[in-house]
Amino acid sequence: MRKHSFRYVLENPETFRKNALVWASSFSHCTYFNNNNILKYPYGPFDNMLTVGAQRIISFGHKNSFEELKQHYKTRPDWMIGYLAYDLKNQTEVLQSNNPDHMGFPDIYFYIPEHILFFKGSSLYIESNIAPDRLMEEIYYTESKKPAKFKEPVLKQNTSRDEYIKTVNKLKNHIIEGDIYEINYCMEFSGSDGEINPLATYLQLVDLSPTPFSVYHQFENRYLICASPERFLKKQTEKLISQPIKGTARRGSSSYEDEIIKQQLRTDEKELAENMMIVDLVRNDLAKSSKTGTVKVDEMFGIYTFKQLHQMISTVTSELRNDVHFIDAIKNAFPMGSMTGAPKVKVMQLIEQYEQAKRGLYSGAMGYITPSGDFDFNVVIRSLLYHAVTKKISFQVGSAITYDSDPEREYDECLLKAKAIIQTLSSQG
């Protein structure tokens, strides 16, 4: 645990926060959880929190990472910052991942931070291994770095429009044959020999697309630049909260057009069916860890507006059983239903068969575990992965395929989701 703590009132919170991010990025590990002031979100967005330095890296074996994470927590309960990559599915079910991996990120990675800064309005609360006043002095005297050399990566879309449409039709045949009901099908944009300034890229991305679960995460020359609008799972005392997104629509050019588009989304039978199927799947996943009769849908088909998109979001809650460890509750719901489909195991087999890249951290979960055993994890979507040593870059987008899916429309939805990242990368030169 960190030895010192203190609360400050900031005269210029935004300037201080930017200085703090520059200071933090000089460490090997730092993570910024940022709700972008989108506060009206059921059960709240991410807390605004900056974790800096690794006093301990939690290493893992290859066969039972969830159990190892549990044992680490039992031995030393503390703030644990990290992620769970999609391919941990191979530890929860008899599955494999054989598609090309362009990034080489570990399947799971956590660290215990040296310093934690909590931002709330003009207030700052610090927990640190050094005296908070000394830490504040370091931040105040941090000089803004000169922009790093930028070399725009040449992006390659690994699935063409024709390939995408053909595959969607094949997946619809699986639905017709009764193999599955719904599947989230994704494609990758990858690049190499590119140089970006990760922090500047993150700040530009969240300016274009501010979301309640965004993250800037750097660890040992690897970066997650994330503008996620979706929560995977949160634990708040004994309550579990999952908020799957299914249903996406573009923003209008006026408030009047926005209202029409929102109403169309709220009454779109295909989008409603997608959302309902995933809600049922999430209810099933939470039931494995919850007290009988406590799983309920707080909100169905809620329409939420973000800067670039409208999203249909449902909220499912339950109460954790006394005999279930909170790490097991995460494992029982992982990977999230909104990024897989139903039935989950068969869908994950088909994802491996039809997608052309390993998902890795994409459609995994990034978040934090508190010393008291609460946690909050997002869904890693609308996210860019970057490796500063290999100069490789990757992001993926997808959409849910059901019996009623129009392949061309699904492809257009993928490009809509990719828009903010492509715009960010192309505007830095």
Side-chain angles (χ1 to χ4, degrees):
M1 301 291 284
R2 283 139 300 281
K3 298 174 185 176
H4 306 282
S5 61
F6 201 79
R7 188 179 301 276
Y8 296 88
V9 176
L10 302 173
E11 289 184 15
N12 194 326
E14 281 308 305
T15 299
F16 179 86
R17 196 178 307 197
K18 286 178 181 177
N19 266 20
L21 282 169
V22 174
W23 166 77
S25 67
S26 67
F27 288 73
S28 65
H29 293 69
C30 78
T31 310
Y32 181 40
F33 297 97
N34 179 13
N35 61 39
N36 291 288
N37 293 315
I38 301 172
L39 304 177
K40 292 183 179 179
Y41 199 92
Y43 296 99
F46 269 159
D47 291 328
N48 282 340
M49 176 172 68
L50 178 62
T51 62
V52 185
Q55 58 174 300
R56 186 180 178 198
I57 295 168
I58 302 171
S59 59
F60 296 89
H62 301 291
K63 293 185 178 179
N64 202 340
S65 297
F66 286 100
E67 189 61 32
E68 289 186 49
L69 185 62
K70 186 196 302 185
Q71 293 308 317
H72 276 288
Y73 178 82
K74 284 182 177 179
T75 303
R76 187 179 174 182
D78 200 341
W79 284 94
M80 296 165 65
I81 312 300
Y83 69 76
L84 310 162
Y86 169 79
D87 296 279
L88 286 174
K89 65 182 174 60
N90 303 333
Q91 297 185 21
T92 63
E93 304 290 346
V94 182
L95 296 166
Q96 293 182 326
S97 297
N98 298 313
N99 287 325
D101 180 4
H102 295 128
M103 297 308 298
F105 283 27
D107 282 343
I108 183 168
Y109 192 101
F110 280 80
Y111 72 96
I112 295 173
E114 295 177 8
H115 320 287
I116 309 176
L117 287 72
F118 302 89
F119 298 94
K120 192 166 186 179
S122 61
S123 295
L124 170 68
Y125 177 74
I126 292 177
E127 291 183 8
S128 176
N129 283 329
I130 66 173
D133 283 350
R134 183 180 144 202
L135 187 148
M136 290 290 282
E137 188 175 350
E138 285 184 16
I139 295 171
Y140 274 122
Y141 287 100
T142 294
E143 292 186 14
S144 294
K145 298 177 182 176
K146 292 180 181 178
K149 180 182 177 183
F150 175 75
K151 183 180 179 183
E152 185 175 347
V154 178
L155 291 175
K156 177 185 176 184
Q157 185 176 325
N158 74 351
T159 305
S160 70
R161 185 177 186 276
D162 287 346
E163 287 174 316
Y164 183 92
I165 289 169
K166 284 178 185 175
T167 302
V168 170
N169 284 324
K170 288 177 184 177
L171 294 172
K172 288 181 69 174
N173 282 334
H174 282 285
I175 295 170
I176 292 167
E177 291 167 7
D179 298 331
I180 57 172
Y181 306 106
E182 175 179 350
I183 182 168
N184 192 283
Y185 171 52
C186 301
M187 61 179 175
E188 182 190 36
F189 292 75
S190 63
S192 57
D193 196 31
E195 292 182 60
I196 65 171
N197 179 325
L199 180 56
T201 302
Y202 169 76
L203 293 173
Q204 192 164 355
L205 178 62
V206 295
D207 183 58
L208 280 171
S209 185
T211 56
F213 301 103
S214 82
V215 182
Y216 173 77
H217 177 53
Q218 70 176 56
F219 64 108
E220 298 175 337
N221 296 307
R222 289 166 287 195
Y223 299 83
L224 167 66
I225 297 164
C226 173
S228 176
E230 183 172 2
R231 169 176 279 137
F232 161 48
L233 194 62
K234 177 178 184 175
K235 177 178 174 286
Q236 191 174 301
T237 60
E238 299 309 309
K239 186 182 280 286
L240 296 174
I241 302 136
S242 186
Q243 293 171 299
I245 290 179
K246 272 289 161 269
T248 302
R250 66 178 178 85
R251 289 295 306 270
S253 57
S254 65
S255 57
Y256 175 73
E257 188 183 10
D258 255 346
E259 288 305 314
I260 292 173
I261 292 170
K262 285 165 65 176
Q263 186 59 29
Q264 288 172 341
L265 177 60
R266 181 61 181 80
T267 56
D268 187 309
E269 290 187 10
K270 182 257 181 189
E271 303 282 20
L272 294 171
E274 276 184 27
N275 197 291
M276 184 177 291
M277 279 188 270
I278 297 308
V279 165
D280 284 343
L281 192 154
V282 169
R283 290 170 62 198
N284 228 24
D285 285 346
L286 292 189
K288 299 172 189 173
S289 308
S290 303
K291 294 177 182 176
T292 303
T294 64
V295 179
K296 63 178 183 176
V297 181
D298 286 18
E299 182 182 33
M300 195 82 173
F301 310 141
I303 304 298
Y304 291 82
T305 297
F306 303 101
K307 188 172 180 179
Q308 290 212 333
L309 300 166
H310 302 293
Q311 303 274 197
M312 185 185 290
I313 305 173
S314 293
T315 298
V316 186
T317 63
S318 69
E319 192 174 330
L320 184 67
R321 274 204 334 263
N322 297 333
D323 63 331
V324 177
H325 194 278
F326 70 83
I327 297 291
D328 290 322
I330 297 171
K331 179 181 178 181
N332 288 340
F334 192 86
M336 59 290 303
S338 62
M339 295 305 296
T340 51
K344 191 186 272 190
V345 174
K346 180 61 178 178
V347 158
M348 289 191 289
Q349 291 170 344
L350 292 176
I351 285 170
E352 181 67 22
Q353 178 180 337
Y354 286 106
E355 291 185 1
Q356 297 185 34
K358 182 179 178 180
R359 287 196 179 181
L361 180 46
Y362 172 72
S363 75
M366 176 76 210
Y368 53 83
I369 297 167
T370 74
S372 64
D374 284 347
F375 60 77
D376 204 357
F377 284 88
N378 72 6
V379 178
V380 179
I381 52 176
R382 323 289 161 80
S383 298
L384 186 67
L385 304 179
Y386 176 59
H387 198 305
V389 174
T390 65
K391 310 299 182 188
K392 289 185 176 179
I393 198 163
S394 169
F395 68 92
Q396 298 190 46
V397 288
S399 66
I401 310 305
T402 63
Y403 173 78
D404 294 321
S405 289
D406 178 305
E408 288 84 357
R409 184 177 166 189
E410 298 296 341
Y411 180 80
D412 290 342
E413 181 179 315
C414 287
L415 295 188
L416 177 62
K417 291 171 179 175
K419 182 180 177 182
I421 294 177
I422 292 173
Q423 203 173 334
T424 298
L425 287 174
S426 63
S427 63
Q428 283 198 38

